[in-house]
Amino acid sequence: MIKLDRRLIINFDWTLLVLVLIISGIGLLNIYSAGFSLSDLRQTPLFLKQVQWIAIGIAGMAIAFFVDYRTFSRHAYLIYGISIALLVIVLAAGYSTRGSQRWIALGGFTFQPSELIKLAIILALAKYFDRHQIGRNYRLRELFIPALIVLIPFLLILKQPDLGTGLILIILFFSIVFFVGLEWRSFLLAAAGGLILTPLGWHLLKDYQKERIMTFFSPERDPLGSGYHIIQSMIAVGSGGFFGKGFMKGSQTQLKFLPEQQTDFVFSVFAEEWGFLGGVILMVMFLLLIVWGLKIVFHSKDYLGALIAFGITMLIFWEVFINIGMVLGILPVVGIPLPFLSYGGSSMVVLMTSIGLLMNISVRRFILQS
Amino acid sequence: MQKIRNRLNEYEPGQLRQRFKIAVIVVSVALALLVLRMWHLQVIKGEELRQRSENNSVRLRKIKPMRGLIMDSERRVLVDNQPSFDLVFIPNRARDIGNVIEKIKALYAERSLALPPILSFPGRLKPFVPVLLERNISREKLAVVETHAFDLPGVVVEVTPIRKYLNGEMTAQLIGFTGEVSREDLERDMSGRYAAGDITGKFGIEKFLDSHLRGRSGAEQVEVNVAGKTVRSLGKIPATTGDNVVLTIDSALQETAWKALGDRAGALVALDPRSGDVLALVSSPSFNPNLFNGGISFDDWESLSNDPRHPMENRSISGQYPPASTYKSVIAAAALEEGLITPETSFFCNGAFELGDRKFRCWQEKGHGHVKLHRALVESCDVYFYNLGKMLGVDRIAFYARAFGLGAPLGVDLSREKGGLIPTKQWKLDRLKEPWQMGETLSISIGQGFNLVTPLQLANIYAALANGGTFYRPRLVKQLESSDGRVVKEYGPEKQAALPVRPENIRIINRALWGAVNERGGTGYALKRKGEDVAGKTGTAQVVGLPQDEKGRKTKRVSAAFRDHALFACFAPYANPEIAVAVILENAGHGGTAAAPVARKVIDAYFAGKKTDQPPAKFVKVGSREKLEP
């Protein structure tokens, strides 16, 4: 099935691999520091677990690289269906922490299907738009099926409840719709509809989610509850100053002021210990990665590859932006991991696999012929 | 060369140039926005926020809740809380922990105070993580440490509530104990209410009702300085004390039962037949639950868990024993109800029952002669019941046994309740891959063979007989109250099923059970006492399958571990039963002589406490027997 083509090696996208490895390496160092005071001597330190996850992720990356992306696309709806089934299983029999049900147990590991669905949706939407090209911008009713593709997992995820991932799915949808083009009139109609539906959506939110959004606007409202995250996170970041406090020297981190400091709030650990300088370097790394992804989109040989690459690039961009924006107190607290830096297996493996797909698209522009 | 299976949808990126530009701009602007915000926080406000983090930082401190109390039915406190003074070392206040420990040891030695078994600390100290040096220190030690606080930098005394089990061993398996939540529990936790370091019920009522007992953690937002020491409190959500639990247990009765069992291994269950209330639930040998307060030492744990007498097993609900002759009431009810016998049906007992070339002996070697149901139960004639068993067959016996609540857990308010075993033909085929033998039916019809019941199930049978055929779920918890005394939840009696036995048949059996205690020749005659009429049945369960012809009274020659279990199940008073008791004593010999006196003590204590003066049911004394045996 997979014939190792010499051109896969010659034209390999080293830049992409190196960028991802550097960012993951930074993430690993950071988790070592964040997890240090948490990890008991008896249990496996978090960072060792993260090393395992990165290794599994690289395996996923290799598979995603060697198999032609059009093969993945052929099974896009199947992958999508499986992901939906997993989401249903999670709701029916999943693990829950802190009041929401997001995990299912796989052997000794727990797995979060809501991470997988992100990639599944990208593949499904790319396939749909590739098959249904109309040579002009789309009208609203022509987007009914793509919207349905996103809406089903969105509702399942909202039920968990996981506002962050749900939000990412919606944003991904709009990003891809932007890419394939939308009629101006349709756009205005959709925007107006959205404005009307917003108050309705507010009622569907869980209390804690409303709380988070309210406290985003005034963190001091509830300094003991959800405002605590924002305040502590801002103190942690700010106290890092220009040069940072140094590796493993962040008092906010080491004193465990921040809950979830190794997952969603991992950037505050980094910013406290490495300062503005470290933050800018990391931001440049992400910018390079995202722009490189857009470059792959631009040079892609076919529309399908361009769509997949664009979806993946936008996924990374929005996750980076929303997560860091939340840590810096300019966006509300929603549970979205920071790509390659947050502790968590499912996110790491899915992202690494996505990067594999990007490399795949990047290299096959030299191979595919019309 | 790769095969191209898909048509390539060529596209002209030029068309999309505009969209690329927008995408790149959006991405760049967004990331630039983040950098700007970082500049704002870290450089412009950096110094201010650094001050806040270094000098006075805000920290959320968890306030541990107090667990609810556990009381008996008379509201006597069984489990209380007490403060534990823990010696803690905070590494970032003083570097040299070894030095500090040496100082503490020297101070202890000066006053000849015992050194704790392990005054240990992890090899690598984490600057901000407190180290527990010694848990639950004595008042003397507390005084020493407090007065020398200046010489002991970094050492602080923290106060945490721990449990105090006032009745110790007597209620240990029933009440259980608490401990720090385990990692497995944390991972399995579906409610999200447990956090590392929380105290949770590990066993018994403490575990079963943990969600009610544990209360809710509070939180306090405090300003702390660099050393982590509290400067001032900013806001506080107080912890909510857990609910108090009122049990149905009568601790006076429990104590009587515990003392009556002595150091013998066994169990006693007392139920109120009118409601299913568990009045006493005792298992012996036992352990000291206070050992678990604030973490049991390794040595104590080892010796407890390796004790061959299994003191941590709650025999009253998870000990499974052959019911022996106490099972004959069930067989009798089945045979009566199926219409196979009437009280007048008689069988001849010559001391043995022949099946093929095998002889199944009666405990009475010389035989009982012609026996009808009443005398068969009173004198516990085995041959009579071999006949009933043969007529009923194993599966019909199993049907009635199930109806009597055997073969499955009863659903008492404790985990680890066992269901016992009621064999059927199919069961044996599935389990042992062998067909059922008639001889085995004979064995089970006198409560031997594969049959296994728990003491709770046994008590439950006699409670149902006592109340005329109603099964209640054995109820341990009477009500839950909030810490200010408000009733949160009340548990009423729960009827589970009715015996599929007609009241007149139950009456026939109960009269015979009365006779077994109150008539000359009855196996429980030793229990007879003026003024109280107890109805009951003795049982003597074989531990090892001795050859049939060596069975019975020759057990005295057998070594202790193979001696028979003594059983007794009864209820009282006969006319209007208020209490049903089941006793099992392991390897104690004969039911009538070993187990019955234990039940006697409990029943005596019950009526002494109650001061009820029910007249003995005189009509039975002469009347019933004459009516039953004309």
Side-chain angles (χ1 to χ4, degrees):
Chain A
M1 193 175 95
I2 306 162
K3 243 195 221 161
L4 194 56
D5 195 313
R6 213 162 47 85
R7 289 167 303 175
L8 284 178
I9 310 296
I10 296 171
N11 301 311
F12 185 74
D13 194 338
W14 292 104
T15 317
L16 188 56
L17 181 68
V18 168
L19 272 171
V20 166
L21 289 184
I22 288 175
I23 296 174
S24 305
I26 291 173
L28 213 49
L29 271 181
N30 200 43
I31 279 178
Y32 183 80
S33 177
F36 175 67
S37 48
L38 286 165
S39 66
D40 198 281
L41 292 171
R42 282 165 299 176
Q43 66 193 70
T44 329
L46 283 180
F47 93 97
L48 275 186
K49 283 195 193 166
Q50 186 77 340
V51 169
Q52 292 170 17
W53 286 121
I54 291 178
I56 296 171
I58 288 176
M61 183 193 277
I63 293 168
F65 172 69
F66 284 113
V67 181
D68 190 333
Y69 60 88
R70 288 165 306 157
T71 311
F72 283 111
S73 185
R74 235 194 336 272
H75 303 297
Y77 295 151
L78 180 69
I79 296 171
Y80 175 80
I82 291 170
S83 308
I84 294 285
L86 288 173
L87 281 176
V88 173
I89 291 172
V90 157
L91 276 184
Y95 252 87
S96 81
T97 51
R98 274 168 268 116
S100 72
Q101 232 167 305
R102 300 179 190 177
W103 283 265
I104 49 175
L106 265 183
F109 293 112
T110 52
F111 175 73
Q112 224 179 325
S114 55
E115 292 295 330
L116 181 62
I117 195 72
K118 294 172 184 171
L119 186 55
I121 280 183
I122 292 171
L123 288 173
L125 286 180
K127 177 169 185 167
Y128 182 86
F129 284 119
D130 182 53
R131 286 247 184 110
H132 298 83
Q133 293 185 67
I134 51 178
R136 58 163 170 81
N137 285 341
Y138 289 81
R139 296 215 179 91
L140 216 49
R141 78 174 95 85
E142 289 154 354
L143 292 178
F144 179 71
I145 290 174
L148 209 62
I149 289 178
V150 177
L151 211 59
I152 294 167
F154 173 74
L155 291 175
L156 285 172
I157 284 167
L158 221 54
K159 192 111 183 71
Q160 289 181 356
D162 180 356
L163 186 60
T165 307
L167 202 69
I168 280 287
L169 297 191
I170 297 294
I171 294 176
L172 255 182
F173 175 70
F174 284 118
S175 304
I176 291 175
V177 165
F178 157 81
F179 186 77
V180 299
L182 183 66
E183 279 293 327
W184 266 110
R185 271 185 38 216
S186 300
F187 174 75
L188 289 176
L189 214 68
L195 276 178
I196 294 164
L197 287 177
T198 305
L200 238 157
W202 178 257
H203 289 290
L204 293 176
L205 292 180
K206 298 260 169 180
D207 280 343
Y208 85 95
Q209 292 168 334
K210 289 183 189 173
E211 192 67 21
R212 279 181 180 181
I213 293 171
M214 308 259 278
T215 45
F216 159 64
F217 292 109
S218 55
E220 312 289 338
R221 222 178 95 87
D222 178 20
L224 213 53
S226 47
Y228 178 80
H229 270 71
I230 303 176
I231 296 171
Q232 289 306 326
S233 153
M234 274 157 55
I235 292 178
V237 172
S239 67
F242 192 85
F243 293 105
K245 293 179 181 170
F247 184 52
M248 308 241 315
K249 294 211 172 63
S251 66
Q252 288 279 321
T253 305
Q254 301 300 339
L255 276 168
K256 292 194 254 173
F257 277 102
L258 267 177
E260 296 182 61
Q261 61 185 18
Q262 67 278 23
T263 54
D264 291 351
F265 279 85
V266 80
F267 182 74
S268 67
V269 176
F270 181 79
E272 183 184 16
E273 299 190 343
W274 300 97
F276 179 72
L277 203 63
V280 169
I281 290 172
L282 185 66
M283 215 62 77
V284 168
M285 288 293 166
F286 274 126
L287 183 68
L288 283 176
L289 180 66
I290 292 161
V291 170
W292 195 259
L294 288 175
K295 192 183 85 79
I296 292 171
V297 178
F298 196 73
H299 293 295
S300 164
K301 195 80 177 178
D302 65 344
Y303 193 52
L304 178 71
L307 276 165
I308 297 174
F310 187 77
I312 290 170
T313 309
M314 282 300 112
L315 171 67
I316 294 171
F317 162 66
W318 286 114
E319 287 198 345
V320 167
F321 178 67
I322 295 175
N323 178 284
I324 296 182
M326 153 187 108
V327 171
L328 297 179
I330 56 172
L331 290 174
V333 176
V334 286
I336 287 176
L338 182 57
F340 309 108
L341 267 84
S342 284
Y343 172 77
S346 316
S347 163
M348 182 58 86
V349 172
V350 168
L351 280 166
M352 285 288 192
T353 308
S354 308
I355 293 293
L357 266 175
L358 269 186
M359 292 171 168
N360 187 338
I361 295 161
S362 170
V363 80
R364 282 195 169 73
R365 71 170 190 265
F366 299 104
I367 299 172
L368 300 179
Q369 291 158 349
S370 6
Chain B
M1 188 69 209
Q2 210 149 353
K3 244 199 281 171
I4 296 162
R5 278 171 287 197
N6 280 24
R7 185 176 60 89
L8 267 186
N9 264 328
E10 279 276 5
Y11 82 116
E12 179 50 61
Q15 298 168 350
L16 304 170
R17 194 169 292 274
Q18 196 67 21
R19 285 174 200 163
F20 278 109
K21 269 191 194 157
I22 296 174
V24 172
I25 290 169
V26 167
V27 168
S28 309
V29 167
L31 296 190
L33 206 68
L34 295 181
V35 170
L36 271 177
R37 174 66 173 174
M38 267 159 46
W39 176 264
H40 176 72
L41 282 179
Q42 298 189 295
V43 181
I44 298 175
K45 287 174 79 178
E47 201 45 45
E48 177 200 331
L49 290 171
R50 193 177 194 113
Q51 289 285 318
R52 250 176 109 174
S53 94
E54 284 190 359
N55 298 328
N56 285 300
S57 288
V58 183
R59 184 172 186 179
L60 203 60
R61 184 165 287 167
K62 202 167 167 181
I63 305 171
K64 285 188 178 166
M66 294 272 260
R67 278 178 89 78
L69 307 181
I70 300 176
M71 291 178 274
D72 81 347
S73 58
E74 305 292 318
R75 308 188 66 81
R76 285 174 286 225
V77 175
L78 305 176
V79 185
D80 201 352
N81 294 310
Q82 62 181 6
S84 159
F85 298 97
D86 303 337
L87 213 53
V88 170
F89 178 76
I90 297 172
N92 56 318
R93 293 200 206 165
R95 280 287 151 198
D96 193 358
I97 189 174
N99 191 16
V100 166
I101 289 177
E102 281 315 309
K103 273 187 195 161
I104 295 175
K105 280 184 178 168
L107 284 170
Y108 281 3
E110 251 175 58
R111 286 156 189 81
S112 57
L113 291 167
L115 284 170
I118 341 153
L119 199 64
S120 73
F121 54 91
R124 194 176 54 159
L125 290 177
K126 303 157 193 171
F128 301 104
V129 181
V131 181
L132 180 68
L133 294 177
E134 193 183 351
R135 223 187 265 273
N136 203 3
I137 59 174
S138 62
R139 301 269 161 182
E140 291 88 350
K141 287 181 177 179
L142 184 63
V144 172
V145 173
E146 292 279 294
T147 49
H148 292 81
F150 192 74
D151 301 330
L152 301 170
V155 174
V156 292
V157 175
E158 281 189 356
V159 187
T160 51
I162 55 169
R163 291 302 243 184
K164 186 171 185 179
Y165 300 100
L166 299 164
N167 299 79
E169 294 186 315
M170 191 179 107
T171 51
Q173 298 95 347
L174 165 65
I175 303 243
F177 49 83
T178 58
E180 202 167 292
V181 62
S182 66
R183 275 191 69 201
E184 295 79 58
D185 288 341
L186 278 177
E187 279 164 19
R188 230 182 293 123
D189 173 34
M190 300 292 276
S191 61
R193 285 186 305 140
Y194 292 89
D198 279 4
I199 297 297
T200 161
K202 292 284 189 189
F203 192 75
I205 288 285
E206 290 270 33
K207 179 177 183 182
F208 194 81
L209 291 176
D210 187 59
S211 58
H212 299 288
L213 283 166
R214 68 195 312 266
R216 254 202 330 272
S217 295
E220 185 177 19
Q221 199 179 30
V222 289
E223 270 188 24
V224 293
N225 61 17
V226 209
K229 195 168 170 119
T230 307
V231 178
R232 67 191 168 104
S233 172
L234 296 176
K236 192 170 173 182
I237 301 168
T240 315
T241 304
D243 292 341
N244 294 338
V245 172
V246 181
L247 300 178
T248 56
I249 295 289
D250 177 344
S251 61
L253 213 56
Q254 178 93 359
E255 189 175 5
T256 307
W258 165 248
K259 286 187 176 148
L261 285 175
D263 59 356
R264 292 173 291 185
L268 180 145
V269 178
L271 299 175
D272 185 335
R274 296 164 299 182
S275 58
D277 283 6
V278 182
L279 303 173
L281 193 82
V282 184
S283 174
S284 172
S286 186
F287 61 96
N288 179 5
N290 289 308
L291 286 178
F292 288 86
N293 274 344
I296 187 169
S297 77
F298 183 75
D299 291 344
D300 286 342
W301 174 253
E302 282 287 288
S303 72
L304 258 184
S305 48
N306 294 335
D307 191 324
R309 278 160 52 100
H310 304 294
M312 287 178 62
E313 186 192 353
N314 189 349
R315 288 171 159 78
S316 55
I317 58 162
S318 52
Q320 304 183 100
Y321 306 89
S325 299
T326 59
Y327 197 53
K328 286 173 182 166
S329 316
V330 177
I331 303 289
L336 279 173
E337 198 60 28
E338 291 286 311
L340 300 174
I341 56 162
T342 70
E344 305 311 317
T345 312
S346 97
F347 294 96
F348 186 74
C349 167
N350 63 0
F353 181 93
E354 285 178 30
L355 180 79
D357 55 353
R358 285 183 71 191
K359 268 189 168 180
F360 287 77
R361 293 199 175 270
C362 183
W363 68 271
Q364 181 67 270
E365 281 174 20
K366 58 179 194 275
H368 288 93
H370 285 282
V371 196
K372 292 180 187 171
L373 178 62
H374 186 82
R375 201 154 69 88
L377 273 170
V378 169
E379 295 179 18
S380 203
C381 173
D382 290 338
V383 168
Y384 182 91
F385 285 95
Y386 292 143
N387 280 294
L388 297 198
K390 194 181 166 196
M391 289 157 78
L392 281 163
V394 55
D395 288 346
R396 244 192 308 186
I397 293 174
F399 170 79
Y400 280 92
R402 294 245 161 75
F404 274 83
L406 302 178
L410 295 168
V412 72
D413 307 316
L414 288 171
S415 44
R416 305 189 200 190
E417 190 199 347
K418 293 262 172 66
L421 177 62
I422 294 302
T424 58
K425 283 180 185 163
Q426 191 59 42
W427 170 83
K428 195 186 175 199
L429 209 57
D430 292 346
R431 191 61 194 276
L432 304 170
K433 315 277 176 241
E434 280 172 26
W436 187 265
Q437 308 288 329
M438 178 52 86
E440 290 165 334
T441 306
L442 299 191
S443 286
I444 64 165
S445 59
I446 59 160
Q448 297 289 159
F450 294 114
N451 278 327
L452 290 174
V453 304
T454 66
L456 180 67
Q457 287 174 328
L458 190 54
N460 198 41
I461 290 178
Y462 280 78
L465 288 172
N467 67 28
T470 305
F471 266 114
Y472 291 96
R473 188 178 72 86
R475 182 168 69 121
L476 258 176
V477 184
K478 203 175 204 170
Q479 62 185 36
L480 302 174
E481 297 173 356
S482 64
S483 54
D484 53 17
R486 199 167 35 83
V487 175
V488 176
K489 199 168 179 185
E490 221 168 334
Y491 298 88
E494 288 172 44
K495 282 189 189 179
Q496 270 188 323
L499 280 185
V501 181
R502 281 183 296 258
E504 59 265 33
N505 287 338
I506 293 178
R507 271 200 294 277
I508 292 168
I509 290 162
N510 287 356
R511 277 178 196 171
L513 294 176
W514 181 88
V517 175
N518 296 284
E519 286 170 17
R520 208 166 291 281
T523 49
Y525 193 64
L527 216 74
K528 181 180 162 64
R529 190 155 304 187
K530 239 176 148 184
E532 284 168 24
D533 40 12
V534 176
K537 185 78 200 75
T538 57
T540 304
Q542 284 178 284
V543 174
V544 277
L546 296 174
Q548 274 290 326
D549 42 0
E550 268 181 56
K551 189 198 152 199
R553 296 176 298 169
K554 297 190 179 165
T555 45
K556 275 176 194 150
R557 277 183 244 141
V558 184
S559 76
F562 298 126
R563 275 169 60 188
D564 295 346
H565 295 330
L567 291 90
F568 188 69
C570 62
F571 58 84
Y574 171 79
N576 197 4
E578 291 178 23
I579 183 170
V581 178
V583 181
I584 288 181
L585 285 174
E586 292 177 12
N587 316 119
H590 195 269
T593 52
V598 173
R600 163 95 271 162
K601 282 181 187 162
V602 171
I603 289 173
D604 283 349
Y606 177 82
F607 288 110
K610 281 285 238 195
K611 301 263 189 312
T612 38
D613 226 27
Q614 284 201 21
K618 289 206 178 71
F619 70 96
V620 203
K621 265 188 172 169
V622 269
S624 78
R625 218 178 146 173
E626 279 166 2
K627 268 182 218 154
L628 289 167
E629 290 185 31

